Amino acid sequence: MRGAIDETHDASRRSWVESANRRGCDFPLQNLPLGVFRRRDRNESPRGGGAIGDRVVDVAACRDAGLFTDLADTAAEACADPTLNRLMGLGPDAWSALRRAVWGLLLEGDERIRATTGWRTRLVPEMSAVELLVPATIGDFTDFFSSLHHATNAGRLFRPDQPLLPNYKHVPIAYHGRASSVVVSGTSIRRPSGQTLAADASQPVFGPTRALDYEAELGFFVGQGNELGVSRSIGDAEDGLFGMCLLNDWSARDVQKWEAQPLGPFLAKSFATSISPWIVTFDALAPFRVAAPARLQGDPQPLAYLDHGQASDRSGIDVTIEAFLSTPEMRANGIAPTRLSHGRSAELYWTPGQLLTHHASNGCDTRPGDLLGSGTVSGPNRDNEGCLLELTRGGREPITLPGGETRRFLADGDEVILEGHCEAEGFARIGFGACRGRILPAHMNN
Ligand code: CA
């Protein structure tokens, strides 16, 4: 299991970037997530950087200023690329070396960045002055189904007699998603059209979905790849995981219901997937490791290739993920986004290491920048249900919003905002930022 606790996690350390020390800040010195940005005011290609408070660390510019050495320098050089794929492929030693070096540069009392000419705009521009982009070229996107609660709740709507299929507790279930339509937070989402069969109809029709939903999930970026034909072992699976982001798997439930049998989701989900721009590294997540949920009495133990063994007590990760909704009427009336649900990744039935190990277990190659989704993060209670399909019981029980509006599914103009954070006694809280998407009306030319 990766991720020893070291001085970079010490909650008492502060940054000379004052905004990073504010209570509740998602990006304190102890986090240092990585992403890709482009300055709005310069004709400059996108590049890799880190988040600190309300600023971005331009890693490549810091390298040009001679602020890195050795392995950190090699990693920093890769940040000059317009995507993080090459950095992801360098592996965990390089990622850790870069983290430690950037931490040292931002530590209270360190003067090296501020001794560089033009540092304010060149080395640590304000986040408001940059555009954040999808951080990697995503070759493949696979979305899992690792919340037992979500699988049971969603299954109950389709199969009341047998909500959970017999394979669920043995094999991590997934479908192959669409990489080309993964978009960064803030990108508007066009309501898709598709083929649906109404409950009382004998023939399907084609038109805008009437059951547009979100799914609150976590995304895992693959770091080092595995060769075609060569599987991964569970013991070092995490060396193949670069970090985590928030992920919204937009879903057209009416399209899904009609098309998904027997081969699973296709156009109901391939129209868009939103991710948050900052990737929180597994090194930053070290203080928030937890035991994977114990298998209940009568549940099968994982097969050997998925068994974490002695490492099980740290194989899970405790991220709280929250979903908020803001409607046009709420915004017009000055009503703040309302929280629809909150869930914890600590409750997922399958761990990130198990997902990647399973993915490669048949010899399928995975590559730097590939994206895995956790599946909807739902928990045991009503307010832990991470999508409207669950919250409204398939649209049968609308929810009431502040201001009196109701929703079965998303309306045009609605904005879904995912937020995530980690907290543990004795450690600094770290956050994921936000993953936003607002619904545009359907194209009406079809
Ligand atoms: Ca999903």
Side-chain angles (χ1 to χ4, degrees):
M1 202 61 52
R2 265 229 323 280
I5 305 284
D6 60 30
E7 62 183 345
T8 67
H9 304 100
D10 183 343
S12 70
R13 301 299 189 99
R14 295 165 55 89
S15 174
W16 55 261
V17 178
E18 269 306 321
S19 57
N21 305 320
R22 287 186 202 130
R23 196 178 168 79
C25 173
D26 277 350
F27 309 125
L29 183 65
Q30 293 79 4
N31 192 352
L32 305 177
L34 296 163
V36 166
F37 72 97
R38 175 166 51 200
R39 286 178 175 78
R40 293 182 203 279
D41 61 342
R42 294 190 201 181
N43 186 17
E44 191 177 75
S45 63
R47 52 186 53 206
I52 181 76
D54 59 8
R55 289 181 174 268
V56 174
V57 185
D58 186 333
V59 174
C62 289
R63 179 174 183 269
D64 291 344
L67 300 182
F68 294 109
T69 57
D70 305 322
L71 190 53
D73 191 64
T74 305
E77 194 272 325
C79 290
D81 289 2
T83 68
L84 295 181
N85 294 68
R86 194 154 58 94
L87 174 67
M88 290 167 164
L90 290 178
D93 290 345
W95 309 332
S96 298
L98 180 63
R99 171 184 172 79
R100 186 172 279 269
V102 171
W103 179 85
L105 289 172
L106 296 169
L107 187 62
E108 194 171 56
D110 195 282
E111 301 288 342
R112 285 172 291 174
I113 284 181
R114 286 172 290 177
T116 306
T117 309
W119 65 271
R120 271 193 185 82
T121 52
R122 250 187 84 212
L123 270 48
V124 285
E126 289 181 20
M127 211 178 285
S128 60
V130 308
E131 178 188 3
L132 297 167
L133 306 172
V134 172
T137 300
I138 301 169
D140 278 289
F141 166 43
T142 305
D143 198 18
F144 283 88
F145 196 46
S146 49
S147 165
L148 176 66
H149 301 286
H150 172 67
T152 306
N153 292 338
R156 190 175 288 127
L157 295 168
F158 299 114
R159 297 176 304 275
D161 300 336
Q162 191 187 24
L164 202 65
L165 291 169
N167 58 359
Y168 186 86
K169 292 182 176 176
H170 297 275
V171 56
I173 302 292
Y175 69 93
H176 194 260
R178 183 75 192 170
S180 67
S181 54
V182 176
V183 297
V184 75
S185 172
T187 307
S188 294
I189 305 299
R190 178 72 66 182
R191 176 179 298 273
S193 290
Q195 193 179 129
T196 58
L197 179 71
D200 54 354
S202 60
Q203 294 295 317
V205 296
F206 184 86
T209 176
R210 301 171 69 178
L212 185 55
D213 201 356
Y214 70 92
E215 290 190 335
E217 305 194 15
L218 292 165
F220 308 101
F221 273 98
V222 173
Q224 283 185 307
N226 64 292
E227 281 179 50
L228 184 63
V230 181
S231 60
R232 296 177 185 266
S233 79
I234 186 82
D236 52 23
E238 284 199 5
D239 287 352
L241 290 171
F242 179 74
M244 294 168 61
C245 63
L246 304 171
L247 186 151
N248 185 343
D249 177 27
W250 303 98
S251 301
R253 300 302 187 187
D254 44 0
V255 177
Q256 183 180 358
K257 188 177 176 185
W258 174 233
E259 74 169 7
Q261 298 174 34
L263 290 187
F266 177 37
L267 301 181
K269 287 169 179 279
S270 63
F271 59 94
T273 304
S274 298
I275 58 171
S276 56
W278 293 112
I279 307 174
V280 177
T281 65
F282 276 73
D283 281 334
L285 292 164
F288 312 104
R289 302 310 298 251
V290 293
R295 295 290 188 253
L296 299 173
Q297 186 85 31
D299 277 2
Q301 289 303 308
L303 291 175
Y305 79 102
L306 292 176
D307 191 342
H308 283 288
Q310 295 293 318
S312 290
D313 62 346
R314 277 172 51 79
S315 60
I317 301 178
D318 194 5
V319 181
T320 296
I321 176 167
E322 299 174 288
F324 298 85
L325 177 66
S326 162
T327 72
E329 190 176 309
M330 288 167 67
R331 292 192 292 275
N333 292 322
I335 301 174
T338 185
R339 190 170 80 165
L340 297 178
S341 66
H342 58 103
R344 289 173 62 192
S345 62
E347 291 172 337
L348 294 175
Y349 195 82
W350 300 106
T351 66
Q354 286 171 324
L355 300 185
L356 184 61
T357 303
H358 182 65
H359 203 310
S361 63
N362 64 346
C364 170
D365 51 333
T366 59
R367 295 169 293 186
D370 283 358
L371 179 64
L372 313 184
S374 62
T376 307
V377 180
S378 295
N381 304 314
R382 283 305 307 252
D383 60 356
N384 301 139
E385 295 173 348
C387 62
L388 286 168
L389 180 78
E390 289 174 74
L391 289 168
T392 69
R393 296 292 182 254
R396 288 194 298 272
E397 300 173 17
I399 52 171
T400 301
L401 305 174
E405 291 179 277
T406 60
R407 286 290 185 278
R408 297 173 193 274
F409 291 103
L410 298 170
D412 292 345
D414 283 359
E415 183 173 45
V416 177
I417 305 147
L418 304 182
E419 293 182 1
H421 67 271
C422 300
E423 284 178 303
E425 187 68 32
F427 290 96
R429 174 196 180 281
I430 64 171
F432 282 69
C435 178
R436 297 170 172 271
R438 193 176 289 192
I439 308 301
L440 297 176
H443 272 299
M444 293 311 288
N445 60 348
N446 46 23

